[in-house]
Structure formats: C-alpha cells, structure tokens
Coordinates of all heavy atoms in Angstrom, one line a residue:
Q1 N 0.8 -1.2 0.0 CA 0.0 0.0 0.0 C 0.9 1.2 0.0 O 2.1 1.2 0.3 CB -0.9 0.0 1.2 CG -0.3 0.4 2.5 CD -1.3 0.6 3.6 OE1 -2.2 -0.2 3.8 NE2 -1.2 1.7 4.3
G2 N 0.3 2.4 -0.4 CA 1.1 3.6 -0.4 C 0.2 4.8 -0.8 O -1.0 4.7 -0.9
L3 N 1.0 5.8 -1.1 CA 0.3 7.1 -1.5 C 1.2 7.7 -2.6 O 2.4 7.9 -2.4 CB 0.3 8.1 -0.3 CG -0.4 9.4 -0.5 CD1 -1.9 9.1 -0.7 CD2 -0.2 10.3 0.7
E4 N 0.6 7.9 -3.8 CA 1.3 8.4 -4.9 C 0.5 9.6 -5.5 O -0.6 9.4 -5.9 CB 1.5 7.3 -6.0 CG 2.4 6.2 -5.6 CD 2.5 5.1 -6.6 OE1 1.9 5.3 -7.7 OE2 3.1 4.1 -6.3
K5 N 1.1 10.7 -5.6 CA 0.5 11.9 -6.2 C -0.9 12.1 -5.8 O -1.8 12.3 -6.6 CB 0.6 11.7 -7.8 CG 2.0 11.6 -8.3 CD 2.1 11.4 -9.8 CE 3.5 11.3 -10.2 NZ 3.6 11.0 -11.6
G6 N -1.2 12.0 -4.5 CA -2.5 12.3 -4.0 C -3.5 11.2 -4.1 O -4.7 11.3 -3.8
T7 N -3.0 10.0 -4.5 CA -3.9 8.8 -4.6 C -3.4 7.7 -3.6 O -2.2 7.3 -3.6 CB -3.8 8.2 -6.0 OG1 -4.3 9.2 -6.9 CG2 -4.7 7.0 -6.1
A8 N -4.3 7.3 -2.7 CA -4.0 6.2 -1.8 C -4.3 4.9 -2.6 O -5.3 4.8 -3.3 CB -4.9 6.3 -0.6
W9 N -3.5 3.9 -2.4 CA -3.6 2.6 -3.1 C -3.2 1.5 -2.1 O -2.5 1.7 -1.2 CB -2.8 2.5 -4.4 CG -1.4 2.6 -4.1 CD1 -0.6 3.8 -4.1 CD2 -0.5 1.5 -3.9 NE1 0.7 3.4 -3.8 CE2 0.8 2.1 -3.7 CE3 -0.6 0.2 -3.8 CZ2 1.9 1.3 -3.4 CZ3 0.5 -0.6 -3.5 CH2 1.7 -0.1 -3.3
A10 N -3.8 0.3 -2.4 CA -3.4 -0.9 -1.7 C -3.6 -2.1 -2.6 O -4.5 -2.1 -3.4 CB -4.2 -1.1 -0.4
E11 N -2.7 -3.1 -2.5 CA -2.9 -4.3 -3.3 C -3.4 -5.4 -2.3 O -3.1 -5.3 -1.1 CB -1.5 -4.7 -3.9 CG -1.1 -3.8 -5.0 CD 0.1 -4.2 -5.8 OE1 0.8 -5.1 -5.3 OE2 0.4 -3.6 -6.8
F12 N -4.1 -6.3 -2.8 CA -4.7 -7.3 -1.9 C -4.8 -8.7 -2.6 O -4.6 -8.8 -3.8 CB -6.2 -6.9 -1.6 CG -7.1 -6.9 -2.7 CD1 -7.9 -8.0 -3.0 CD2 -7.2 -5.8 -3.5 CE1 -8.7 -8.0 -4.1 CE2 -8.1 -5.8 -4.6 CZ -8.8 -6.9 -4.9
S13 N -5.0 -9.7 -1.8 CA -5.2 -11.0 -2.2 C -6.4 -11.6 -1.4 O -6.5 -11.4 -0.2 CB -4.0 -11.9 -1.9 OG -4.3 -13.3 -2.2
S14 N -7.4 -12.1 -2.1 CA -8.6 -12.6 -1.4 C -9.2 -13.7 -2.2 O -9.3 -13.7 -3.4 CB -9.6 -11.4 -1.4 OG -10.8 -11.9 -0.8
K15 N -9.6 -14.8 -1.4 CA -10.3 -15.9 -2.1 C -11.7 -15.6 -2.4 O -12.3 -16.1 -3.3 CB -10.2 -17.1 -1.2 CG -8.8 -17.7 -1.0 CD -8.7 -18.9 -0.2 CE -7.3 -19.4 -0.1 NZ -7.2 -20.6 0.7
A16 N -12.3 -14.6 -1.6 CA -13.7 -14.2 -1.8 C -13.6 -12.9 -2.7 O -12.8 -12.0 -2.5 CB -14.4 -13.9 -0.5
P17 N -14.5 -12.7 -3.6 CA -14.5 -11.5 -4.5 C -14.8 -10.3 -3.7 O -15.7 -10.3 -2.8 CB -15.7 -11.8 -5.5 CG -16.0 -13.3 -5.4 CD -15.6 -13.7 -4.0
L18 N -14.1 -9.2 -4.0 CA -14.4 -7.9 -3.4 C -15.7 -7.4 -4.1 O -15.9 -7.5 -5.3 CB -13.3 -6.9 -3.7 CG -12.1 -7.0 -2.8 CD1 -11.2 -5.8 -3.0 CD2 -12.3 -7.3 -1.4
V19 N -16.6 -6.7 -3.3 CA -17.8 -6.1 -3.8 C -17.8 -4.6 -3.7 O -18.5 -3.9 -4.4 CB -19.1 -6.7 -3.2 CG1 -19.2 -8.2 -3.5 CG2 -19.1 -6.5 -1.7
K20 N -16.9 -4.1 -2.8 CA -16.8 -2.7 -2.6 C -15.5 -2.3 -2.0 O -14.9 -3.0 -1.2 CB -18.0 -2.3 -1.7 CG -18.1 -0.8 -1.4 CD -19.4 -0.4 -0.7 CE -19.2 -0.7 0.8 NZ -20.3 -0.1 1.6
A21 N -15.1 -1.1 -2.4 CA -13.9 -0.5 -1.7 C -14.2 1.0 -1.5 O -14.9 1.6 -2.3 CB -12.6 -0.7 -2.5
E22 N -13.7 1.6 -0.4 CA -14.0 3.0 -0.1 C -12.8 3.6 0.6 O -11.9 2.9 1.1 CB -15.2 3.1 0.7 CG -15.1 2.4 2.1 CD -16.4 2.4 2.8 OE1 -17.5 2.5 2.2 OE2 -16.3 2.3 4.1
L23 N -12.7 4.9 0.5 CA -11.7 5.7 1.2 C -12.4 6.5 2.3 O -13.4 7.2 2.0 CB -11.0 6.7 0.2 CG -9.9 7.5 0.9 CD1 -8.6 6.8 1.0 CD2 -9.7 8.8 0.1
S24 N -12.0 6.2 3.5 CA -12.5 7.0 4.6 C -11.5 8.1 4.9 O -10.2 7.9 4.9 CB -12.6 6.2 5.9 OG -13.6 5.2 5.7
F25 N -11.9 9.4 5.1 CA -11.0 10.5 5.3 C -11.6 11.5 6.2 O -12.9 11.5 6.4 CB -10.6 11.1 4.0 CG -11.7 11.9 3.3 CD1 -11.8 13.3 3.5 CD2 -12.6 11.3 2.5 CE1 -12.8 14.0 2.9 CE2 -13.6 12.0 1.9 CZ -13.7 13.4 2.1
T26 N -10.8 12.3 6.8 CA -11.2 13.4 7.7 C -10.4 14.6 7.4 O -9.2 14.5 7.0 CB -11.1 13.0 9.2 OG1 -11.6 14.1 10.0 CG2 -9.7 12.7 9.6
R27 N -11.0 15.8 7.6 CA -10.3 17.0 7.4 C -10.1 17.6 8.8 O -9.5 18.7 9.0 CB -11.1 18.0 6.6 CG -11.2 17.6 5.1 CD -11.9 18.6 4.3 NE -11.9 18.3 2.9 CZ -12.8 17.7 2.2 NH1 -14.0 17.4 2.8 NH2 -12.7 17.5 0.9
D28 N -10.5 16.9 9.8 CA -10.4 17.4 11.2 C -9.1 17.0 11.8 O -8.4 16.2 11.3 CB -11.5 16.8 12.1 CG -12.9 17.2 11.7 OD1 -13.0 18.3 11.0 OD2 -13.9 16.5 12.0
A29 N -8.8 17.7 13.0 CA -7.6 17.3 13.8 C -8.1 16.9 15.2 O -9.3 17.0 15.4 CB -6.7 18.6 13.9
G30 N -7.2 16.5 16.0 CA -7.6 16.1 17.3 C -7.8 14.6 17.5 O -7.3 13.8 16.7
K31 N -8.5 14.2 18.6 CA -8.6 12.8 18.8 C -9.4 12.1 17.7 O -10.4 12.7 17.2 CB -9.4 12.6 20.1 CG -8.6 13.0 21.4 CD -9.4 12.7 22.6 CE -8.6 13.1 23.8 NZ -9.3 12.8 25.1
W32 N -9.0 10.9 17.3 CA -9.6 10.2 16.2 C -11.1 10.0 16.4 O -11.9 10.2 15.5 CB -8.9 8.8 16.0 CG -7.6 8.9 15.4 CD1 -6.4 9.2 16.1 CD2 -7.2 8.8 14.1 NE1 -5.4 9.2 15.2 CE2 -5.8 8.9 14.0 CE3 -7.9 8.5 12.9 CZ2 -5.2 8.8 12.8 CZ3 -7.3 8.4 11.7 CH2 -5.9 8.6 11.7
Q33 N -11.5 9.7 17.6 CA -12.9 9.4 17.9 C -13.8 10.6 17.8 O -15.0 10.5 17.6 CB -13.0 8.8 19.4 CG -12.2 7.6 19.6 CD -10.8 7.9 20.1 OE1 -10.2 8.9 19.9 NE2 -10.2 6.9 20.8
A34 N -13.2 11.8 17.9 CA -14.0 13.0 17.9 C -14.0 13.6 16.5 O -14.7 14.6 16.3 CB -13.4 14.0 18.9
R35 N -13.3 13.1 15.6 CA -13.2 13.6 14.2 C -14.5 13.2 13.4 O -15.1 12.2 13.6 CB -12.0 13.1 13.5 CG -10.7 13.6 14.1 CD -9.5 13.1 13.3 NE -8.3 13.4 13.9 CZ -7.1 13.4 13.3 NH1 -7.0 13.1 12.0 NH2 -6.0 13.7 14.0
T36 N -14.8 14.1 12.5 CA -15.9 13.7 11.5 C -15.2 13.1 10.3 O -14.3 13.6 9.7 CB -16.7 15.0 11.1 OG1 -17.3 15.6 12.2 CG2 -17.7 14.6 10.0
W37 N -15.7 11.8 10.0 CA -15.1 11.1 8.9 C -16.1 11.0 7.7 O -17.3 11.0 7.9 CB -14.8 9.6 9.3 CG -13.7 9.6 10.3 CD1 -13.8 9.8 11.7 CD2 -12.3 9.4 10.0 NE1 -12.5 9.7 12.2 CE2 -11.6 9.5 11.2 CE3 -11.6 9.2 8.8 CZ2 -10.2 9.4 11.3 CZ3 -10.2 9.1 8.9 CH2 -9.6 9.2 10.1
E38 N -15.6 11.1 6.5 CA -16.4 11.0 5.3 C -15.9 9.8 4.5 O -14.8 9.4 4.7 CB -16.2 12.3 4.5 CG -16.6 13.6 5.2 CD -16.4 14.8 4.3 OE1 -17.0 14.9 3.2 OE2 -15.6 15.7 4.8
V39 N -16.8 9.3 3.6 CA -16.4 8.1 2.8 C -16.8 8.4 1.4 O -17.8 8.9 1.1 CB -17.3 6.9 3.3 CG1 -17.0 5.7 2.5 CG2 -16.9 6.6 4.8
I40 N -15.8 8.0 0.5 CA -16.0 8.1 -0.9 C -15.6 6.7 -1.6 O -14.8 6.0 -1.0 CB -15.2 9.2 -1.6 CG1 -13.7 9.1 -1.3 CG2 -15.7 10.6 -1.1 CD1 -12.8 10.1 -2.1
P41 N -16.2 6.4 -2.7 CA -15.9 5.1 -3.4 C -14.4 5.1 -3.8 O -13.8 6.1 -4.2 CB -16.8 5.1 -4.6 CG -17.9 6.1 -4.3 CD -17.2 7.2 -3.4
A42 N -13.9 3.9 -3.8 CA -12.5 3.6 -4.3 C -12.7 2.7 -5.5 O -13.6 1.9 -5.5 CB -11.6 3.0 -3.2
A43 N -11.8 2.7 -6.4 CA -11.8 1.9 -7.6 C -11.1 0.5 -7.3 O -10.1 0.5 -6.6 CB -11.0 2.6 -8.7
I44 N -11.7 -0.5 -7.8 CA -11.1 -1.9 -7.7 C -10.7 -2.2 -9.1 O -11.5 -2.3 -10.0 CB -12.1 -2.9 -7.2 CG1 -12.7 -2.5 -5.8 CG2 -11.5 -4.3 -7.1 CD1 -13.9 -3.3 -5.4
E45 N -9.4 -2.5 -9.3 CA -8.8 -2.8 -10.6 C -7.9 -4.0 -10.4 O -6.8 -3.9 -9.9 CB -8.0 -1.7 -11.2 CG -8.9 -0.4 -11.4 CD -8.1 0.8 -11.7 OE1 -6.9 0.8 -11.5 OE2 -8.7 1.8 -12.2
G46 N -8.4 -5.2 -10.7 CA -7.7 -6.4 -10.5 C -7.4 -6.7 -9.0 O -8.4 -6.8 -8.2
T47 N -6.2 -6.7 -8.6 CA -5.8 -6.9 -7.2 C -5.4 -5.6 -6.5 O -4.6 -5.6 -5.5 CB -4.7 -7.9 -7.0 OG1 -3.6 -7.5 -7.8 CG2 -5.2 -9.3 -7.6
R48 N -5.8 -4.5 -7.0 CA -5.5 -3.2 -6.5 C -6.7 -2.3 -6.3 O -7.6 -2.3 -7.2 CB -4.5 -2.5 -7.5 CG -3.9 -1.2 -7.0 CD -2.9 -0.7 -8.0 NE -2.4 0.6 -7.7 CZ -1.1 0.9 -7.4 NH1 -0.3 0.0 -7.4 NH2 -0.8 2.1 -7.2
V49 N -6.7 -1.6 -5.2 CA -7.8 -0.6 -5.0 C -7.1 0.8 -4.9 O -6.0 0.9 -4.4 CB -8.6 -0.9 -3.7 CG1 -9.4 -2.2 -3.9 CG2 -7.8 -0.9 -2.5
S50 N -7.8 1.9 -5.3 CA -7.2 3.2 -5.2 C -8.3 4.2 -5.2 O -9.4 4.0 -5.6 CB -6.3 3.4 -6.4 OG -7.0 3.4 -7.6
A51 N -7.9 5.4 -4.6 CA -8.9 6.5 -4.6 C -8.0 7.8 -4.4 O -7.0 7.8 -3.6 CB -9.9 6.4 -3.4
G52 N -8.5 8.9 -5.0 CA -7.8 10.1 -4.8 C -8.2 10.7 -3.4 O -9.4 10.6 -3.0
V53 N -7.2 11.2 -2.7 CA -7.5 11.8 -1.4 C -7.9 13.2 -1.6 O -7.2 14.0 -2.2 CB -6.2 11.7 -0.5 CG1 -6.4 12.3 0.8 CG2 -5.7 10.3 -0.4
P54 N -9.1 13.6 -1.1 CA -9.6 14.9 -1.2 C -8.7 16.0 -0.6 O -8.0 15.7 0.4 CB -11.0 14.9 -0.5 CG -11.4 13.5 -0.6 CD -10.1 12.7 -0.4
G55 N -8.7 17.2 -1.1 CA -7.9 18.2 -0.6 C -8.2 18.6 0.8 O -9.4 18.5 1.2
G56 N -7.3 18.9 1.6 CA -7.5 19.3 3.0 C -7.6 18.1 4.0 O -7.8 18.3 5.2
A57 N -7.5 16.9 3.5 CA -7.6 15.7 4.3 C -6.4 15.7 5.3 O -5.3 16.0 5.0 CB -7.6 14.4 3.5
T58 N -6.7 15.4 6.6 CA -5.7 15.2 7.6 C -5.3 13.8 7.8 O -4.3 13.5 8.4 CB -6.1 15.9 8.9 OG1 -7.3 15.3 9.3 CG2 -6.3 17.4 8.7
A59 N -6.2 12.9 7.4 CA -5.9 11.4 7.5 C -6.9 10.7 6.6 O -8.0 11.2 6.3 CB -6.2 10.9 9.0
A60 N -6.4 9.5 6.1 CA -7.3 8.7 5.2 C -6.8 7.3 5.3 O -5.6 7.0 5.6 CB -7.1 9.2 3.8
Y61 N -7.7 6.4 5.0 CA -7.4 4.9 4.9 C -8.4 4.3 4.0 O -9.6 4.7 3.8 CB -7.3 4.3 6.2 CG -8.6 4.3 7.0 CD1 -9.5 3.2 6.9 CD2 -9.0 5.4 7.8 CE1 -10.7 3.3 7.7 CE2 -10.1 5.4 8.5 CZ -11.0 4.4 8.5 OH -12.2 4.4 9.2
L62 N -8.1 3.1 3.4 CA -8.9 2.4 2.5 C -9.6 1.2 3.3 O -9.0 0.6 4.1 CB -8.1 1.8 1.3 CG -7.6 2.8 0.3 CD1 -6.4 2.2 -0.5 CD2 -8.7 3.3 -0.6
N63 N -10.9 1.0 2.9 CA -11.6 -0.2 3.4 C -12.0 -1.1 2.2 O -12.4 -0.5 1.2 CB -12.9 0.2 4.1 CG -12.7 0.9 5.4 OD1 -11.9 0.5 6.2 ND2 -13.3 2.1 5.6
L64 N -11.9 -2.4 2.4 CA -12.3 -3.3 1.3 C -13.3 -4.3 1.9 O -13.2 -4.7 3.1 CB -11.0 -4.2 0.9 CG -9.9 -3.4 0.1 CD1 -9.2 -2.5 1.0 CD2 -9.0 -4.4 -0.5
F65 N -14.3 -4.6 1.1 CA -15.4 -5.4 1.5 C -15.6 -6.6 0.6 O -15.7 -6.3 -0.6 CB -16.7 -4.6 1.6 CG -16.7 -3.4 2.5 CD1 -16.2 -2.2 2.1 CD2 -17.0 -3.5 3.8 CE1 -16.1 -1.1 2.9 CE2 -17.0 -2.4 4.7 CZ -16.5 -1.2 4.2
D66 N -15.7 -7.8 1.1 CA -15.9 -9.0 0.2 C -17.4 -9.4 0.1 O -18.2 -8.8 0.8 CB -15.0 -10.1 0.6 CG -15.3 -10.8 1.8 OD1 -16.5 -10.7 2.4 OD2 -14.5 -11.6 2.3
D67 N -17.7 -10.4 -0.7 CA -19.1 -10.8 -0.9 C -19.7 -11.5 0.3 O -20.8 -11.9 0.3 CB -19.2 -11.7 -2.1 CG -18.5 -13.0 -2.1 OD1 -17.8 -13.3 -1.1 OD2 -18.7 -13.8 -3.0
R68 N -18.9 -11.8 1.4 CA -19.4 -12.4 2.6 C -19.8 -11.3 3.6 O -20.2 -11.6 4.7 CB -18.4 -13.3 3.2 CG -18.0 -14.5 2.3 CD -16.8 -15.2 2.8 NE -15.6 -14.3 2.8 CZ -14.4 -14.6 3.3 NH1 -14.2 -15.8 3.9 NH2 -13.5 -13.7 3.2
G69 N -19.5 -10.0 3.3 CA -19.8 -8.9 4.2 C -18.6 -8.7 5.1 O -18.8 -7.9 6.1
L70 N -17.5 -9.3 4.9 CA -16.3 -9.0 5.7 C -15.5 -7.8 5.2 O -15.5 -7.6 4.0 CB -15.4 -10.3 5.8 CG -16.1 -11.6 6.3 CD1 -15.1 -12.7 6.2 CD2 -16.6 -11.4 7.7
A71 N -14.9 -7.1 6.1 CA -14.1 -5.9 5.8 C -12.7 -6.0 6.3 O -12.5 -6.6 7.4 CB -14.9 -4.7 6.3
V72 N -11.8 -5.3 5.6 CA -10.5 -5.1 6.1 C -10.1 -3.7 5.8 O -10.5 -3.1 4.7 CB -9.5 -6.2 5.5 CG1 -9.4 -6.0 4.0 CG2 -8.1 -6.1 6.1
S73 N -9.3 -3.1 6.6 CA -8.8 -1.7 6.4 C -7.3 -1.7 6.2 O -6.6 -2.5 6.9 CB -9.1 -0.9 7.7 OG -10.5 -0.8 7.8
A74 N -6.9 -0.9 5.3 CA -5.4 -0.7 5.1 C -4.9 0.3 6.3 O -5.7 0.9 7.0 CB -5.2 0.0 3.8
E75 N -3.6 0.4 6.4 CA -3.1 1.3 7.4 C -3.5 2.7 7.0 O -3.6 3.0 5.8 CB -1.6 1.2 7.5 CG -1.2 -0.1 8.1 CD 0.4 -0.2 8.3 OE1 1.0 0.8 8.4 OE2 0.9 -1.3 8.2
H76 N -3.6 3.6 7.9 CA -4.0 5.0 7.6 C -2.8 5.8 7.2 O -1.6 5.5 7.5 CB -4.6 5.7 8.8 CG -3.7 6.1 9.9 ND1 -3.3 5.2 10.9 CD2 -3.1 7.2 10.2 CE1 -2.4 5.8 11.7 NE2 -2.3 7.1 11.3
H77 N -3.1 6.9 6.5 CA -2.1 7.9 6.1 C -2.5 9.2 6.9 O -3.6 9.5 6.9 CB -2.1 8.2 4.6 CG -1.8 7.1 3.7 ND1 -0.5 6.7 3.5 CD2 -2.6 6.2 3.0 CE1 -0.5 5.6 2.7 NE2 -1.8 5.3 2.4
A78 N -1.5 9.8 7.5 CA -1.7 11.1 8.2 C -1.0 12.2 7.4 O 0.1 12.0 6.9 CB -1.2 11.0 9.6
F79 N -1.7 13.3 7.2 CA -1.2 14.5 6.5 C -1.1 15.7 7.4 O -2.0 15.9 8.2 CB -2.1 14.8 5.3 CG -2.5 13.6 4.5 CD1 -3.7 13.0 4.7 CD2 -1.6 13.0 3.6 CE1 -4.1 11.9 3.9 CE2 -1.9 11.9 2.8 CZ -3.2 11.3 3.0
E80 N -0.1 16.5 7.2 CA 0.0 17.7 8.0 C -0.7 18.8 7.3 O -0.8 18.9 6.1 CB 1.5 18.1 8.1 CG 2.3 17.1 9.0 CD 3.7 17.6 9.3 OE1 3.9 18.8 9.3 OE2 4.6 16.7 9.5
K81 N -1.3 19.6 8.1 CA -2.0 20.8 7.6 C -1.1 21.9 7.4 O -0.2 22.1 8.1 CB -3.2 21.2 8.6 CG -4.4 20.4 8.3 CD -5.6 21.1 9.0 CE -6.8 20.7 8.3 NZ -8.0 21.4 8.9

C-alpha cells in the first residue's frame, strides 16, 4: 500500500470476491474518535484498490469489503495541515 501523487492505493489477495472499496478520510484534527469522517468510493482494478485523497484531508485509509460482508482496512495515512 502507499500514497502516490495524492492517490491512496493498496494491493490485496482474497479468495472471496471484493464487492466494494472505499476511502475514509477526515479534514479534522484532534482525537480520532472526535473527528468527523467522510467516505467516498474507491476503484477496484484487479488486485489493487485506489482513490484520490480529497484536498484538506488530515488522515485517510482504504476499506475493502468482500461478498461475505467481511471488511479489512489498510493502514492510515496522516497528512500535516
């Protein structure tokens, strides 16, 4: 996983098909639990998911969901304001 030119990406391996991927991000600072988080769709291309990180984001991470309803999250990226 990584961050390239404002795009968060992760590669994955799964026996169950992915049905959805999303980017969770916040523009807030402070305690994680107190931040307002937003979610946008991420693209699934083969074994890679990616999404552009919106401007002003202070943190972001990818979530992947399979056809069993199970989810996994990539490590978060933190950005300085």
Side-chain angles (χ1 to χ4, degrees):
Q1 78 171 45
L3 184 68
E4 294 176 6
K5 299 179 184 176
T7 298
W9 64 270
E11 293 184 347
F12 66 92
S13 173
S14 175
K15 292 182 181 180
L18 286 192
V19 296
K20 181 172 78 167
E22 61 189 24
L23 180 81
S24 293
F25 70 96
T26 183
R27 292 183 173 100
D28 295 341
K31 292 184 178 183
W32 286 83
Q33 303 89 335
R35 296 182 188 198
T36 299
W37 291 86
E38 299 177 62
V39 176
I40 58 172
I44 303 170
E45 298 168 345
T47 59
R48 185 178 173 114
V49 297
S50 62
V53 178
T58 56
Y61 62 93
L62 291 160
N63 290 313
L64 292 72
F65 302 87
D66 71 17
D67 67 352
R68 300 169 295 174
L70 301 178
V72 65
S73 298
E75 291 185 29
H76 75 276
H77 297 280
F79 312 101
E80 292 188 28
K81 274 193 157 185

